Amino acid sequence: MKLSRAVSVFAASVLAHSSGEHHHHDHHHNHPHPDLGAVCGPGALPVNGESSCQPESELLAGVQQDIFAEKPVEVEGWKCPNGTDCDYAHKHKWTHSTPCFRGNVTGQDFCVFTDTEFAEGRGTSFVMTGRRADYIATTPAFADPQYHEGTNQDLKRTIPLKYDMKEFPGKGWGLVANQFISRGDLIMANTPSLMIDYRVFDELTKDEYKKLQVYAVDYLPEKHRAAVLALSTHGQTFDSHEDLVEKIGETNAFDIEADDGDEIQDYGFFVVFPEIARFNHDCRPNADYYFDHSSLTQFIHATRDVQPGEELTLSYINPVMLRVARMAKLARNWGFQCACSACTQERARAEASDARIRQIKELKALLRSWKADSPASPQMAELFISLYEQEKLGGSMYSAYSFAALEYNAVGDPWTATKYARLAVDHGIPMVGEQAADVVEMKKLADDPWAHWSWMLRTKKRSGWGRDDEDEVDDDDE
């Protein structure tokens, strides 16, 4: 039999989630900058980062004559996520849709698009083309004004806060649990402050994209703007408001991939969430996140039970890396020496941890291969689960359970396969969301293991049925 495309797609999805990493995240020397520029009222903007304000209409009227396009690019109709043709004349009504700069590669205009009413008045700013901004504006996040009711608890708290802010010696500000938090519990959820198309950094000059970032921040509602400007700059001070905003973005942003319906698949987004940026790093964190494109919301859930008084942490990198590689990457990309327990444990334990990481990589390659000569087995999958548990990789346990479910089903043990599929779903929903490919696939397996593509697949392969598909490729250290 021919190996179903679902095999390779699902295997790739499991691997992508279990080895995904987060870039450019704040390393949390979160002291508010002493000179943040003016917090101007409605209809005004700060002038050159100084403590004075000027009416927005006067400021924009002056600069647009010189360096800004007078209006955003107008484009022809195109496809919306719901499959209907969009008429650009009925595009989203943005509070601001200028200034713009023309890209030097595609010739498209990249503009600031701000909606100050988004998410119950929290507001959001995009820096991208009009075509892409309007595509995102067709999501449920924009279509329903009540969609984000209760999401951004920093605006209006309706549920008890699960954490407190605390200053840590040598680390700056972080978050500490103020109550018991169960594995899978939601800790925080926020919509973006800034969402910048990565093409901006390739197609515009540094001076141009810095100006767009400044407008994107300064267009936000006052409270929201102040929260962005209070984020970490690694202790550096700046004479220029533009340089301050640029550094805040570099220090605090997350990488978010494009959703499946976006026509620009090769370029994701550079995204800032001020509240989520307060999480410090740990190579074995007690929380993890995922971004939901339909709601434009970043969700943070507990990867294990958390006791009151424990610091809440995220991993900025792929945790399935050797200790020396993890520390080098954190120092290179975020400028700090990791002092988490996994990186500072005694030599013998650190070496044992590295040995487990090496074996995880070896087993993953074998489990992902569906060739007839693959030695993969349920016993190997059990060891894989144990190694994840020993390494405290709670955010990726759903992946280990998924591999086990497939292995048991592939040799004709539907009941054990169902057990692990159920565990994968339970652990996967808070870590990657209920619509993630891994979770959907495990739901299918649990509902009917006999009808799943993996049923008896190892046995069939080893009996000479079907062809050998190519192995997936993975590089965990990238």
Side-chain angles (χ1 to χ4, degrees):
M1 61 177 271
K2 182 177 180 180
L3 186 63
S4 169
R5 181 174 182 271
V7 177
S8 59
V9 170
F10 174 64
S13 181
V14 167
L15 186 62
H17 283 300
S18 63
S19 64
E21 63 182 72
H22 319 310
H23 301 283
H24 303 297
H25 186 59
D26 182 24
H27 69 75
H28 298 279
H29 297 286
N30 283 314
H31 300 285
H33 193 278
D35 179 15
L36 300 179
V39 179
C40 299
L45 295 172
V47 181
N48 298 325
E50 298 176 356
S51 57
S52 59
C53 298
Q54 184 174 346
E56 177 186 323
S57 57
E58 295 179 13
L59 182 60
L60 291 182
V63 296
Q64 285 187 174
Q65 293 176 3
D66 301 323
I67 57 176
F68 295 141
E70 293 184 0
K71 59 181 180 180
V73 60
E74 298 292 331
V75 298
E76 68 280 2
W78 52 286
K79 286 288 184 179
C80 288
N82 61 9
T84 62
D85 287 320
C86 293
D87 182 347
Y88 202 77
H90 298 96
K91 60 184 181 291
H92 184 73
K93 295 187 181 301
W94 301 98
T95 311
H96 304 283
S97 57
T98 56
C100 302
F101 286 106
R102 182 146 295 172
N104 58 23
V105 177
T106 62
Q108 298 182 71
D109 288 346
F110 292 89
C111 311
V112 177
F113 295 91
T114 302
D115 184 341
T116 57
E117 298 302 315
F118 178 75
E120 300 184 289
R122 174 183 170 86
T124 191
S125 285
F126 299 162
V127 179
M128 56 188 69
T129 62
R131 184 183 181 96
R132 203 172 197 189
D134 275 4
Y135 167 79
I136 296 173
T138 61
T139 61
F142 281 88
D144 183 359
Q146 304 303 314
Y147 197 84
H148 292 106
E149 185 174 355
T151 297
N152 295 293
Q153 288 288 308
D154 55 301
L155 289 181
K156 181 181 179 182
R157 186 151 298 282
T158 59
I159 58 176
L161 194 68
K162 292 184 172 71
Y163 54 85
D164 296 318
M165 287 280 294
K166 178 181 177 181
E167 189 169 9
F168 292 88
K171 294 172 64 176
W173 292 95
L175 304 180
V176 176
N178 61 16
Q179 59 183 271
F180 177 78
I181 303 174
S182 296
R183 178 190 64 79
D185 280 359
L186 177 66
I187 298 173
M188 184 186 294
N190 280 119
T191 52
S193 302
L194 307 179
M195 197 165 181
I196 302 176
D197 185 330
Y198 260 111
R199 292 181 296 172
V200 165
F201 304 107
D202 288 346
E203 297 209 26
L204 302 183
T205 67
K206 185 173 183 179
D207 183 62
E208 289 170 343
Y209 71 66
K210 283 172 66 175
K211 283 184 169 63
L212 294 184
Q213 286 183 22
V214 167
Y215 276 94
V217 171
D218 290 342
Y219 280 153
L220 293 171
E222 183 176 335
K223 181 180 178 181
H224 195 170
R225 174 181 180 270
V228 173
L229 293 177
L231 287 171
S232 169
T233 59
H234 290 189
Q236 298 181 41
T237 58
F238 301 91
D239 295 329
S240 163
H241 185 53
E242 288 184 356
D243 291 340
L244 168 64
V245 171
E246 181 191 25
K247 186 62 177 179
I248 286 172
E250 288 177 353
T251 307
N252 297 280
F254 288 78
D255 283 349
I256 302 296
E257 294 181 353
D259 79 323
D260 292 340
D262 195 325
E263 65 181 2
I264 311 297
Q265 287 293 306
D266 293 336
Y267 288 86
F269 302 97
F270 179 88
V271 187
V272 174
F273 309 87
E275 296 77 14
I276 296 173
R278 297 297 185 182
F279 282 81
N280 280 325
H281 166 80
D282 196 298
C283 291
R284 299 294 178 261
N286 52 25
D288 206 349
Y289 64 84
Y290 72 90
F291 184 76
D292 176 60
H293 283 275
S294 64
S295 63
L296 290 186
T297 302
Q298 184 101 309
F299 293 94
I300 310 288
H301 291 84
T303 62
R304 60 169 175 79
D305 290 347
V306 181
Q307 300 298 323
E310 277 193 71
E311 183 180 8
L312 297 169
T313 56
L314 298 173
S315 178
Y316 301 171
I317 60 174
N318 167 21
V320 188
M321 297 171 65
L322 300 180
R323 174 179 173 274
V324 65
R326 294 197 309 268
M327 296 186 72
K329 187 160 193 172
L330 290 165
R332 181 175 65 251
N333 290 0
W334 288 271
F336 68 92
Q337 292 294 319
C338 186
C340 76
S341 60
C343 289
T344 56
Q345 61 189 341
E346 61 189 44
R347 178 191 55 78
R349 295 185 65 202
E351 290 176 353
S353 174
D354 280 350
R356 290 191 291 269
I357 294 297
R358 292 189 183 95
Q359 191 165 34
I360 284 173
K361 291 173 177 285
E362 293 170 0
L363 293 179
K364 183 181 289 183
L366 295 173
L367 291 168
R368 294 181 69 230
S369 171
W370 290 94
K371 290 185 175 180
D373 60 356
S374 171
S377 67
Q379 293 74 25
M380 188 181 290
E382 292 284 357
L383 173 58
F384 193 67
I385 290 172
S386 178
L387 292 171
Y388 265 62
E389 291 172 341
Q390 293 174 59
E391 279 300 300
K392 301 180 177 64
L393 298 172
S396 299
M397 283 306 303
Y398 73 92
S399 173
Y401 291 138
S402 297
F403 279 117
L406 292 173
E407 284 306 315
Y408 276 105
N409 213 44
V411 297
D413 184 346
W415 307 116
T416 309
T418 300
K419 179 187 80 170
Y420 282 119
R422 295 293 186 197
L423 283 167
V425 171
D426 180 58
H427 283 71
I429 288 174
M431 295 300 105
V432 290
E434 63 179 318
Q435 300 302 320
D438 304 5
V439 174
V440 171
E441 197 68 32
M442 286 297 101
K443 285 180 179 178
K444 292 178 181 178
L445 195 158
D447 288 344
D448 190 347
W450 299 275
H452 194 263
W453 58 260
S454 62
W455 175 246
M456 294 292 288
L457 188 57
R458 292 285 185 207
T459 302
K460 293 174 182 177
K461 285 281 186 178
R462 289 161 184 165
S463 298
W465 295 13
R467 67 178 181 83
D468 285 346
D469 278 29
E470 294 297 321
D471 289 326
E472 298 290 342
V473 178
D474 173 40
D475 188 346
D476 280 327
D477 289 330
E478 285 301 313

